[in-house]
């Protein structure tokens, strides 16, 4: 079967490589049919690439090729990826993607178009890189009411936090190291401010609870305010700080979904996820907690998920996979600050007796070189709004959510 | 769609419960069709059960009901489950199962029969309870050459080892506690001797590498020889002892597959899997390591996997899922003792200088109250046969494989 690849960057070139190097495993899944790359769309020139004869700068070459039935979109960004994908689906071609931004912003419209035209729009690679999560979650969904999802969804920030926790590096030094290693972009904003994780939360939330959640409905707080002092305090309580995307069902018509640093205690499967790895924990009423771990990014891991989706499309030509969701609404995602109760880590310029006076029951934390006018503690469970009210007159240095995953 | 359940034990009764309590999530996956239990086959009487009118002791009631298209086999054991399953497949009904013994012993014949009759034989619940592993692995396979698989596949032994490691309980006390908690049978042999894990290794190996592996081809060593002294020595090297099923590709025509205690170092995703939980790590050439974690047994987790398979059959009536494998052969699984090199933990009545004389480069371990004539160490990588040759004249107390997962 002829397939095309749009976008020959890290993931796209990996897709071509995986297709070429995994003929046997692909044929095992397709009952003998090979995927054959007919076109590679990219505006750049790759004069030394062995696939020179496959390159095109004209999208219509793919759109108008009746033999090309499956297309991998690995361009990233909403435009022109949305326009291209829509035209391909309308032309009766299946599309698979690693483009989390597009799925988070436009997934609903693209899934509806795929349904209307009897083709598939698959996006396993858009969350967790090579980790199988979209299908397993859809599978869990068949016999579970999902109660919540929590994930370490961004490898760059997890690498930085791991270096801070394990090697005592400052945030700035760890970010520099991530950039030197190619784990972080020159402009790291999307990673360190939590925007990348936010898009993945949207996709997981949409899938888990059946209604589209958009990035502007999900508060994203990054890791730039985390200091080594916070790391050390939390370590004294046998915990680590992770950037978590969390989704929780409130009732049949409401969820919360947010990205923030969170205290995870040792014993949680999420606490031992280190370096650039990702993990997604799904909590179902029948199955309990299941957790999926692996490389959340990278050329070949992500490409292998894209190619697995292409194989699935090849096997399911003229048959629909039943993944998707319906429309969301503005008031569907409620503010976790009022809807959720949880403990909080608080670090402040204050005394222990002031902390006790405000919160009654707290667990104090310690660090080396702790100034006499600084206090750090973990509160009982409460809403963040209630916490903020109590802290109104206090000189707070940092506060971090404590997760129950 | 009408479905039947054969075997109303823990899992079977859980299947009926999950079907009844998850109408909405099931309908979401089946485009609105409900699963309706038509028959429950069990030789026992359940006079107080609310499903009294559904019980039958006659298998033919299910076989001859043209409306019942999908059957869950949760009886366990090879007979009569094999005979019943074969007859159902031949009659054009899909069968799903949690019966690892049957899949490990007779999976090939049943998969072939399903293929021949255009129906499905699915077995997600046979490995890892509620953890989605069979489909995700099949999915990874599409774009990866699997290099190896390692899993904590038995919750009972993992519970016992966790109690030994974390609470310093003896093996005997921990086994007793497992029995008191209902995690271990009165006759715990199948768990503690590794036979249960062995069957799951057979299923995973058959799926990962495409040829049926039978239980008699997989060496199973249990945990009965593990002592608190071993636990403490290995703890001093930042490791834990886990009962692992391991499968490794040797070349295109050979694998190794075995169950044994293994030293897992902290930092591995398998090291933090505690209590009755299971985890399966799959190593692919493109995706790297992916790991799946969750409840490996229990009524509702396992039942949720069975029901998810039933839903999949209901969605795929008259369509085949492409899971399966071909025939194996006697010499396909080779002895890991000669085929694999790895480090070993050795504990012996000997001196450090004797250990160095035999192995040159070793890492010595320590424990409190270590007798002066006892030594424990970790060797360099070598085959177990080479190790045993070196240890021929030594008074060995215990030796344990060290895993590279």
């Amino acid at each position: 079967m002829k397939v095309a690849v749009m976008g020959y960057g890290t993931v796209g070139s990996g897709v071509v490589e995986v297709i070429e190097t995994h003929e046997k495993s692909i044929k095992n899944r397709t009952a003998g049919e090979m995927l054959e790359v007919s076109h590679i769309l990219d505006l750049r020139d790759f004069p030394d690439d062995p696939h020179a004869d496959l390159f095109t700068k004209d999208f219509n070459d793919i759109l108008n090729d009746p033999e090309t039935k499956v297309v991998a979109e690995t361009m990233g960004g909403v435009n022109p990826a949305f326009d291209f994908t829509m035209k391909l689906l309308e032309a009766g071609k299946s599309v698979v993607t690693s483009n989390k931004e597009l799925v988070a912003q436009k997934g609903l419209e693209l899934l509806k178009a795929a349904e209307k035209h009897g083709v598939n729009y698959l996006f396993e690679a858009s969350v967790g890189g090579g980790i199988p999560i979209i299908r397993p979650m859809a599978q869990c969904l068949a016999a579970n009411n999902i109660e919540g999802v929590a994930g370490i969804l961004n490898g760059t920030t997890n690498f930085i936090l791991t270096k801070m926790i394990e090697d005592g590096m400052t945030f700035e030094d760890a970010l520099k190291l991530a950039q030197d290693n190619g784990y972080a972009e020159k402009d790291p904003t999307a990673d360190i401010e939590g925007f990348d994780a936010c898009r993945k939360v949207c996709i997981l939330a949409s899938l888990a609870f059946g209604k589209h959640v958009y990035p502007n409905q999900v508060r994203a707080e990054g890791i730039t305010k985390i200091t080594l002092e916070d790391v050390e305090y939390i370590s004294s309580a046998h915990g680590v700080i992770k950037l978590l995307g969390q989704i929780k069902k409130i009732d049949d018509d409401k969820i919360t979904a947010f990205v923030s640093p969170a205290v995870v205690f040792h014993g949680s499967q999420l606490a031992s996820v280190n370096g650039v790895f990702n993990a997604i924990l799904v909590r179902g009423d029948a199955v309990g907690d299941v957790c999926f771990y692996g490389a959340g990014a990278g050329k070949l891991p992500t490409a292998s998920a894209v190619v697995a989706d292409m194989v699935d499309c090849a096997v399911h030509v003229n048959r629909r996979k039943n993944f998707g969701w319906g429309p969301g609404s503005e008031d569907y995602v409620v503010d976790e600050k009022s809807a959720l109760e949880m403990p909080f880590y608080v670090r402040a310029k204050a005394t222990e007796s002031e902390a006790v006076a405000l919160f009654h029951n707290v667990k104090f934390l310690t660090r080396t070189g702790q100034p006499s006018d600084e206090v750090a503690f973990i509160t009982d469970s409460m809403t963040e709004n209630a916490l903020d009210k109590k802290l109104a007159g206090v000189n707070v240095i940092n506060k971090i959510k404590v997760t129950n995953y």
Side-chain angles (χ1 to χ4, degrees), chain A residues 61-181:
Chain A
D61 286 350
I62 295 172
L63 183 65
N64 297 328
D65 179 1
E67 288 184 32
T68 298
K69 301 275 193 206
V70 179
V71 180
E73 183 267 300
T74 53
M75 308 167 69
V78 173
N79 292 308
F82 173 68
D83 187 39
F84 288 179
T85 301
M86 188 58 91
K87 284 187 174 137
L88 291 167
L89 296 172
E90 287 170 349
K93 299 180 196 298
S94 287
V95 179
V96 310
T97 188
S98 59
N99 187 339
K100 53 210 164 247
E101 194 178 351
L102 183 61
V103 179
Q105 291 283 6
K106 299 284 188 180
L108 178 67
E109 290 158 81
L110 294 169
L111 286 161
K112 291 283 164 223
E115 188 179 354
K116 185 173 167 195
H117 296 280
V119 291
N120 286 299
Y121 181 56
L122 303 182
F123 47 91
E124 181 64 69
S126 67
V127 181
I131 309 171
I133 175 64
I134 301 296
R135 274 178 198 69
M137 204 157 98
Q139 182 188 342
C140 286
L141 287 166
N144 275 279
N145 297 315
I146 302 289
E147 297 172 350
V149 179
I152 295 170
L153 298 168
N154 179 271
T156 306
T157 45
N158 203 50
F159 175 85
I160 292 170
L161 289 171
T162 302
K163 285 289 159 191
M164 293 175 73
I165 293 164
E166 296 201 338
D167 301 342
M169 287 180 82
T170 63
F171 171 79
E172 291 73 19
D173 288 348
L175 172 58
K176 171 103 184 20
L177 183 64
Q179 288 172 320
D180 291 348
N181 282 339

Side-chain angles (χ1 to χ4, degrees), chain A residues 12 53 99 112 136 227 322 327 382 405:
Chain A
D53 53 326
N99 187 339
K112 291 283 164 223
T227 66
N322 191 21
M382 62 186 72
Y405 289 97

